[in-house]
Structures are given as C-alpha cells and as structure tokens.
Amino acid sequence: MMKASGFPYVVPMLLLSVAFFATPLAVLVGFSFSGSAGFTLEHYGRFFGDAFNFRVLVNTARLGLETVVGTTLLGVPIALLYWHSGRTARQVIIFLTLIPMLTSNVVRTFAWIVILGRQGPISEALMALGLTGSPISLMFTEFGLLMAMCQIDLPLIILPLIAILSRTPVQFSEAAQISGAGPWRIFVTVLLPLMLPGMLAGWILVFASTSSSFVTQAVIGGARNVYVPQLIYREVGTLFDWPLASAIAVVLLISTGCLLVAMTMISRHKRLVGHA
C-alpha cells in the first residue's frame, strides 16, 4: 500500500506564500530594474552614487547591530533569572515579557516620547542625582532611539532563550559548580554554548525588526537621524519615485540578509560551540 503523501496539506501554505510573499517581492525587484527603455541599472547607480545614501545604509546596519548587543546584554540575565526561578516567578517573568508584545508598536513608541522628554523620568532622575542642573531631552538622539529599540525588541530575544533553557536541567550548573567551576566559567563553558541557538534566533529577529522599524525610527530618531525605511518612505510618499524606492528596498533586503548569514556563521563557529 502506497504511503500517504503530506504534500496536499502544504499546498494552501505554498499558495499563500506565492500570493502574498513571492509575487510582491518579484514585483518589487521588477520595479527596481524598470526604466523608460526597459531593463536598467540606473536606479541602483543613483543610490550608490550618492554618499548620503550609503551613509544611511551603514547607519541602519549599525543601529541593528547595536540593538542586538543591547538586547543580548539585557535578555541573557532575564532568561537566566527565569531558569533559576520557581514556578510563580517564571509565570511573572513570562507575563511581563509578553505584555509589551500585546501592545501596539506605535503605542510603545509614543510612550517613549514621554520617557525621553524633558519632563520624563530619565531627566527627573538625572536631576535628582545631581548629574545635570537642568532638564534634558533624549528625543531625536541616537542613544534615545537605541534605548527605545532595545525595550521594544527585548521580548524577541528573551523568548527564544527561555525556550532553550526550559529544556536544560538546572543540574548542569550544579554539576559544574560541584566540579569546582566558578560562576563566570560555568556561564562561558556550559550555559553560553547551550544558549547559542536561542541567541541566534533572537539576533535574527531583533536585527530584522530594528532595521525595518519605520515608526520608531521616524518618531524617536527625528529628521536628523535618517535610516533606510525613512529613505524609502521619502521616495514613495514625497517624490513618488517608485523605481528608486524599490531599488533601495532591494538593497536593504540583500544587506540585511548578508548580515544575518554572517551572524549565523559566527554563532556556529567551532570555537564557540565546541563546548556544547
């Protein structure tokens, strides 16, 4: 008797992927090469011929990498706290991690306007500590934008790490401790290799989210800090130059993909995973 194939069950998913992902992507790529006389590389030449555009592309990649580092430094301790906690504390950590994700990204972005403003808690705290004599604003600064992006994207790295650690017995850490390893050595040689797959998933999600977060970049970063999504919006919404906007979007897609591949290769290096 012939074994039943599972192909019919994936046909709806394939049709949806072709209709809502592959086809729009093909149209986008087609627009980027379209000219009055047919196929052309003119729009890519215009993009790379302007030093400002290249600087915007570098700034976008740098913001993504900085957010990856920031969310990793914040997310790893929270995930380890979850791992060492009891049932009630774990439920609280999961609740506090998921609650921000149930709130619109726009709402969270506008909440940061209050936090980073002159009358916000950061400015008040710095004045109370005597670090500044007058109210300060972190709005329209790269540091303020980085703080907002780290908070908004933090759940994207905490959840993969928790998923990994939930399957890891706490006895691993206890066995290493009994063998004489200190806390730092336990973290580097035991926990870090175990968490690398979760970190990799989190890095990809955080970098992709940060690089394409138009609302937060535009509202918190302001007009002085321009990133690729704002550049695409300007070409489409103001200048109505769809072919150039499509070329910029394709460049962002390819550059983001290259960085994600690099992250994957680094995280799978044998010196990093050799202790796993």
Side-chain angles (χ1 to χ4, degrees):
M1 182 178 179
M2 183 179 295
K3 186 177 180 179
S5 173
F7 181 75
Y9 299 102
V10 300
V11 169
M13 183 189 69
L14 291 176
L15 293 177
L16 289 174
S17 298
V18 170
F20 297 107
F21 178 74
T23 301
L25 185 61
V27 172
L28 179 74
V29 175
F31 258 119
S32 70
F33 290 107
S34 65
S36 56
F39 179 85
T40 180
L41 295 175
E42 173 191 356
H43 312 299
Y44 290 94
R46 289 169 57 195
F47 176 78
F48 287 108
D50 191 335
F52 173 78
N53 294 335
F54 186 74
R55 190 164 63 249
V56 169
L57 185 63
V58 172
N59 289 341
T60 305
R62 192 187 67 218
L63 176 65
L65 293 175
E66 289 174 346
T67 307
V68 166
V69 173
T71 52
T72 302
L73 294 176
L74 294 172
V76 168
I78 296 174
L80 291 176
L81 177 63
Y82 172 89
W83 191 49
H84 285 286
S85 300
R87 181 178 178 182
T88 303
R90 287 187 173 190
Q91 291 175 342
V92 172
I93 292 172
I94 289 291
F95 177 76
L96 294 177
T97 302
L98 293 178
I99 280 295
M101 299 186 71
L102 301 178
T103 308
S104 167
N105 190 23
V106 176
V107 174
R108 284 187 285 172
T109 297
F110 279 91
W112 273 99
I113 295 177
V114 178
I115 296 172
L116 299 174
R118 290 183 178 276
Q119 306 302 323
I122 294 179
S123 177
E124 296 288 342
L126 292 176
M127 290 182 63
L129 294 173
L131 298 177
T132 178
S134 59
I136 63 170
S137 174
L138 293 176
M139 283 293 296
F140 312 133
T141 65
E142 289 189 17
F143 183 69
L145 176 59
L146 179 61
M147 290 177 62
M149 293 308 311
C150 285
Q151 187 275 328
I152 290 173
D153 291 337
L154 187 58
L156 299 179
I157 198 166
I158 290 179
L159 293 177
L161 289 176
I162 286 179
I164 292 290
L165 291 175
S166 297
R167 301 194 299 268
T168 305
V170 182
Q171 288 75 13
F172 278 22
S173 175
E174 296 174 353
Q177 189 174 11
I178 292 173
S179 301
W184 178 248
R185 189 169 184 181
I186 293 174
F187 174 76
V188 173
T189 61
V190 179
L191 297 180
L192 191 59
L194 289 172
M195 290 190 295
L196 270 180
M199 282 187 180
L200 172 61
W203 292 345
I204 293 173
L205 293 174
V206 169
F207 186 86
S209 173
T210 302
S211 301
S212 59
S213 182
F214 168 74
V215 173
T216 308
Q217 292 174 2
V219 174
I220 305 295
R224 288 184 299 177
N225 302 303
V226 181
Y227 300 94
V228 173
Q230 296 163 267
L231 205 60
I232 296 173
Y233 176 79
R234 186 192 70 178
E235 297 298 331
V236 173
T238 305
L239 303 178
F240 303 105
D241 193 341
W242 284 75
L244 179 57
S246 301
I248 298 172
V250 171
V251 170
L252 175 62
L253 188 65
I254 294 175
S255 58
T256 302
C258 291
L259 285 172
L260 295 182
V261 171
M263 288 182 187
T264 304
M265 295 177 66
I266 292 173
S267 66
R268 292 180 179 177
H269 194 279
K270 60 182 180 181
R271 289 189 177 181
L272 292 176
V273 301
H275 297 286

